[in-house]
Amino acid sequence: MPLNQNIKLKLKDGSTVAVVGGGPAGSFFTWFILRYAQESGIKIHVDVFEPKNFNSTGPAGCNKCGGIVSESLIQMLSGEGIKVPPKVIRRGIDSYTLHLEHGKVVIEKPKPEQGIASIFRGLGPRGPIDSAQLSFDNFLLDLCREKGAMVRTDTIVKALRVEEGIKLSTSLSGDKVFDLVVGAVGLNAKGIEIFNSICPSYFPPSVTKTHIAEIFLGREVVDQYFGNSMHVFLLNLPNVKFGALIPKGNYVTMVLLGKNITREVVAGFLSSETVKSCFPPDTNISEITHCKCYPAINVGEAKSAFANRVVLIGDSASSKLYKNGLGAAWLTGQAAAKTAIFHGISQRDFQKWYQPVCTTLDNDNDIGKIIFNITSIMQKSSILKNGLLAMVVQEQKEPSHKRPMSSLLWDTFTGSNPYTSIFKRSLNPVFMVKFLWNIVKGQLIKKSRIQK
Ligand SMILES: Cc1cc2nc3c(=O)[nH]c(=O)nc-3n(C[C@H](O)[C@H](O)[C@H](O)COP(=O)(O)OP(=O)(O)OC[C@H]3O[C@@H](n4cnc5c(N)ncnc54)[C@H](O)[C@@H]3O)c2cc1C
């Protein structure tokens, strides 16, 4: 059947849906399609295929991530009546500590309700874990089970178009034909290849290499040295656009984002005096790093992530540049489910009703790229960084509505607000004059320090 043929394909009573991948995008899609089907009085069957057991520690249960759940996602979840259980949350984050070579400043959350949470996607890293705590991805899959989905611990190995729909072959439970197949395989190369075979015009997202390390410090040390603050670094280090230390239970998760993060880049980050000063003196970080990896991250949108009876969501389609990929998985998962139930499952339906959500994310990421390019310039300029520090230090003494730079940084770090909104606010002339004044002030402070 030609892929672009304009046919009316609809889900109806008894239709079958396969969700390939039980990460956040797959779970959010499943939640929404079952909710919308129920509301529309359609009885559908949803199978979620996920080979990982998220109730495992280490790589077996991990979907490699910094593990920050943004305030916007917390709000969207609560709008659906979903509350992330305390046992899933490893720490509530109340502030960001911004580190520059010549100083640091704590940026408090702008409003009491603007909290964010740190989680582990699986049960936790290899090494000592708090056994009472729970996996975020498994919590989401449990929500899908409660809604009526069948979660199968299985891998999809092949997909083929047949007359009645799409036939999926699994590694354990044989073949089955589905009316709709949803690709939520993240950036998994084999998964993407399978979807290319049934969605030939699909062009996967471009990626770059990042780094994550799980550093075991014990709860008391984490409390004392990191508290409820996520530590972020704006240092003049090659390739690193964003470095962070995120407190979680007994661990601190180190995340490095940028251009092709290699072992050498990681070594450069860890040997920086600014980073070392965050840990107890003489800490040998490599000795207490129980898990580390170099996962890919989505840095450029996919093209044509749909065809008749097929749609790709989450990281496999469009995400948010460097931040809040979980929130983007929610948006794309919901939009695809809405399209499938309320409009149809043809290429045309996804083009008309699903693609606009991806386009909005993609366009916003273009602005995000500009913001990260400006940040890279700032990283290299001690004059600009002095001004930034002076401005944020001053603002933190003011009430929250008088903290424009802090609010821009908060939104950039959390990924809760669109990059377009951050960029527009940064162009405000009053803001710019204030920043310029602080650049001058930062220089004067530096000069007077040198004279002393
Ligand atoms: C270093 C780094 C830090 C990040 N930090 C954050 C953060 O702090 N906050 C945030 O919001 N986002 C963060 N992200 C982004 C976030 O991890 C992703 O956007 C998010 O995981 C996307 O969800 P997904 O469901 O699309 O894909 P994934 O989470 O990758 O899930 C895909 C699932 O598909 C399964 N799968 C693959 N192939 C098959 C197959 N053939 N059959 C069956 N199942 C299959 C996999 O097992 C996996 O469970 C970070 C990303 C990186 C790389």
Side-chain angles (χ1 to χ4, degrees), residues 31-205:
W31 167 272
F32 278 114
I33 198 162
L34 286 167
R35 164 148 108 66
Y36 296 144
Q38 221 170 9
E39 285 167 13
S40 311
I42 308 172
K43 288 196 175 70
I44 57 168
H45 304 280
V46 181
D47 284 337
V48 180
F49 293 91
E50 173 55 60
K52 280 184 189 151
N53 174 4
F54 297 122
N55 280 329
S56 318
T57 55
C62 181
N63 260 338
K64 296 158 187 168
C65 172
I68 287 292
V69 182
S70 70
E71 66 201 59
S72 58
L73 180 55
I74 289 177
Q75 279 161 17
M76 291 189 293
L77 285 164
S78 97
E80 282 294 306
I82 302 169
K83 192 172 179 296
V84 184
K87 281 187 176 174
V88 173
I89 298 175
R90 304 299 170 118
R91 203 166 272 259
I93 304 288
D94 295 333
S95 65
Y96 278 80
T97 305
L98 173 65
H99 294 262
L100 310 171
E101 282 86 352
H102 33 275
K104 65 178 179 182
V105 57
V106 177
I107 303 172
E108 298 292 347
K109 62 180 173 187
K111 292 182 192 145
E113 67 274 18
Q114 279 183 288
I116 57 176
S118 71
I119 49 100
F120 280 125
R121 303 284 298 274
L123 213 53
R126 274 188 294 236
I129 59 151
D130 181 345
S131 56
Q133 299 224 273
L134 300 174
S135 139
F136 180 72
D137 283 19
N138 197 59
F139 160 66
L140 296 182
L141 275 182
D142 276 345
L143 292 175
C144 299
R145 288 187 186 99
E146 283 163 25
K147 266 254 177 294
M150 175 64 79
V151 178
R152 299 182 186 278
T153 310
D154 212 341
T155 311
I156 299 301
V157 291
K158 197 174 159 202
L160 191 70
R161 281 187 182 274
V162 291
E163 206 178 324
E164 322 83 80
I166 291 175
K167 184 167 84 175
L168 294 183
S169 307
T170 68
S171 60
L172 297 175
S173 49
D175 298 353
K176 190 175 165 188
V177 176
F178 292 89
D179 294 298
L180 170 65
V181 174
V182 180
V185 294
L187 300 170
N188 181 287
K190 178 70 189 149
I192 283 177
E193 196 185 307
I194 291 168
F195 274 88
N196 253 141
S197 70
I198 47 171
C199 194
S201 49
Y202 168 59
F203 192 81

Side-chain angles (χ1 to χ4, degrees), residues 19-27 49-52 54 62-70 73 121 137 152 154-158 183-192 194-195 208 210-212 230 246 248 254-257 294-298 313-317 319-320 322-329 332 414:
V19 180
V20 186
S27 289
F49 293 91
E50 173 55 60
K52 280 184 189 151
F54 297 122
C62 181
N63 260 338
K64 296 158 187 168
C65 172
I68 287 292
V69 182
S70 70
L73 180 55
R121 303 284 298 274
D137 283 19
R152 299 182 186 278
D154 212 341
T155 311
I156 299 301
V157 291
K158 197 174 159 202
V185 294
L187 300 170
N188 181 287
K190 178 70 189 149
I192 283 177
I194 291 168
F195 274 88
T208 191
T210 64
H211 179 67
I212 303 176
M230 174 164 159
I246 306 163
K248 286 182 197 173
M254 178 172 101
V255 175
L256 293 185
L257 304 178
Y294 291 83
I297 197 165
N298 177 330
I313 55 174
D315 268 13
S316 311
S319 190
K320 179 162 172 125
Y322 295 134
K323 302 279 146 185
N324 198 10
L326 302 174
T332 54
T414 59

Side-chain angles (χ1 to χ4, degrees), residues 230-263:
M230 174 164 159
H231 292 243
V232 294
F233 299 83
L234 199 61
L235 305 177
N236 186 11
L237 291 170
N239 292 35
V240 181
K241 281 202 190 290
F242 179 79
L245 294 169
I246 306 163
K248 286 182 197 173
N250 288 333
Y251 285 82
V252 165
T253 301
M254 178 172 101
V255 175
L256 293 185
L257 304 178
K259 209 173 159 197
N260 202 19
I261 304 291
T262 58
R263 280 169 206 277

